[in-house]
Amino acid sequence: MSGTVAEEAREILRSARALVVELGEEGVEWTADAREAAAVRSAGPARPAPGAQASVPPPTAPVAASAATAPRTPGRDAPRRTLESVREDLGECTRCRLHEGRQRIVFGDGNPAADLLFVGEGPGEQEDLQGLPFVGRAGELLTNMIEKGLGLRRSDVYICNIVKCRPPGNRTPLPDEVFACRPFLDGQIDAVAPRVIVALGKPATSLLLGRDVSITRVRGTWHDYRGIPVMPTFHPAFVLRQYTAENRRLVWEDLKAALARSREGAPQ
Ligand code: URA
């Protein structure tokens, strides 16, 4: 194949891949796996954490103004749950089928009083083995973005997932699994009371926004979860798969915006 033809072929392949990703995000179902993945999108908001004071806000709220002024739940200085008590409530959980295949529960990691809280989808293989979120390849990228990009230590932020046990084959968590784990995610958010939540990828963003989203459309825009500003961005695993300068730039923009917002009004 001549250089030009090969380059054209590569370009067609790149475009086709991008189209498949975009159509997948738009809910086009290709395979049994994709149908499972789509199922989580219709999970919608589940019940709030035990003792939670607010329900899920109207999902469409474009937040620019509202999240900045809305009272946070339950309030940074109010007495609130601790991560230890949420972890204790979770126990050696058998609430859904995911416990059957897990090696370890992956609860969360980082600063219990972090200004920035990252929510991913669910543990992968390395996370399941080590009991820590985002320690595989996607985790390495996330850690680099936090440390080299934002100039923070990973231990300055808090990182957790929608579900705390690894879904088989790293599939997207199913609605009943998300539902079973939701009180613990809400408990973590209440306990940490971050200034900003970064939602990594479509499932985390759809869950927090209470509606099925196209991550390509909503990333980079402000939303709100129980009074806390939410910045959706691409999942690091997606960025690894589509490792383009443009995708890296977009995530970088989103993370910078999240950091800046988390510092607004914070004591110097
Ligand atoms: N992907 C996630 O969503 N979470 C992890 O902890 C690791 C990979």
Side-chain angles (χ1 to χ4, degrees):
M1 220 185 303
S2 78
T4 320
V5 174
E7 186 43 39
E8 269 175 24
R10 272 196 289 277
E11 184 52 44
I12 290 168
L13 200 57
R14 264 197 295 275
S15 308
R17 277 207 197 103
L19 184 63
V20 168
V21 169
E22 178 66 19
L23 289 174
E25 285 172 358
E26 297 302 320
V28 174
E29 297 170 16
W30 309 94
T31 62
D33 280 352
R35 270 194 293 282
E36 283 185 345
V40 78
R41 295 195 289 265
S42 56
R47 70 192 144 101
Q53 294 165 6
S55 58
V56 177
T60 46
V63 263
S66 67
T69 48
R72 300 171 57 210
T73 306
R76 251 183 118 66
D77 303 320
R80 55 179 192 249
R81 299 187 69 186
T82 62
L83 285 172
E84 289 74 20
S85 76
V86 180
R87 180 65 189 85
E88 249 171 56
D89 290 348
L90 178 62
E92 280 308 299
C93 185
T94 55
R95 290 170 183 81
C96 82
R97 68 183 77 73
L98 293 185
H99 80 277
E100 291 163 11
R102 76 166 176 242
Q103 302 299 315
R104 303 182 64 168
I105 291 180
V106 179
F107 182 65
D109 185 34
N111 180 353
D115 287 341
L116 275 181
L117 182 146
F118 291 80
V119 182
E121 189 176 322
E125 186 182 15
Q126 280 307 312
E127 291 76 16
D128 180 53
L129 290 172
Q130 297 182 41
L132 288 169
F134 283 99
V135 288
R137 277 189 72 226
E140 206 177 302
L141 179 59
L142 179 65
T143 304
N144 274 338
M145 292 191 293
I146 292 167
E147 300 206 325
K148 298 197 179 125
L150 296 180
L152 302 172
R153 288 168 304 186
R154 179 179 154 119
S155 56
D156 290 333
V157 306
Y158 191 78
I159 305 176
C160 56
N161 283 304
I162 301 174
V163 293
K164 316 301 183 207
C165 298
R166 182 188 182 196
N170 298 342
R171 65 156 167 72
T172 305
L174 299 174
D176 60 321
E177 298 157 359
V178 173
F179 182 83
C181 233
R182 177 118 190 213
F184 306 101
L185 174 62
D186 281 340
Q188 289 171 300
I189 293 172
D190 281 352
V192 175
R195 290 181 184 276
V196 168
I197 298 173
V198 178
L200 298 168
K202 179 187 175 89
T205 305
S206 295
L207 182 72
L208 295 179
L209 271 55
R211 67 188 161 94
D212 182 28
V213 300
S214 156
I215 190 65
T216 335
R217 295 223 177 101
V218 301
R219 63 134 292 279
T221 61
W222 285 107
H223 299 266
D224 176 283
Y225 185 65
R226 302 165 73 187
I228 302 175
V230 173
M231 171 56 68
T233 194
F234 292 138
H235 193 286
F238 168 78
V239 179
L240 283 177
R241 282 197 305 275
Q242 308 274 321
Y243 200 69
T244 62
E246 177 65 358
N247 284 343
R248 279 175 282 155
R249 185 185 68 76
L250 293 174
V251 172
W252 173 226
E253 293 295 318
D254 302 343
L255 295 188
K256 273 193 303 186
L259 180 65
R261 181 113 183 217
S262 76
R263 288 182 168 163
E264 274 172 21
Q268 295 303 305

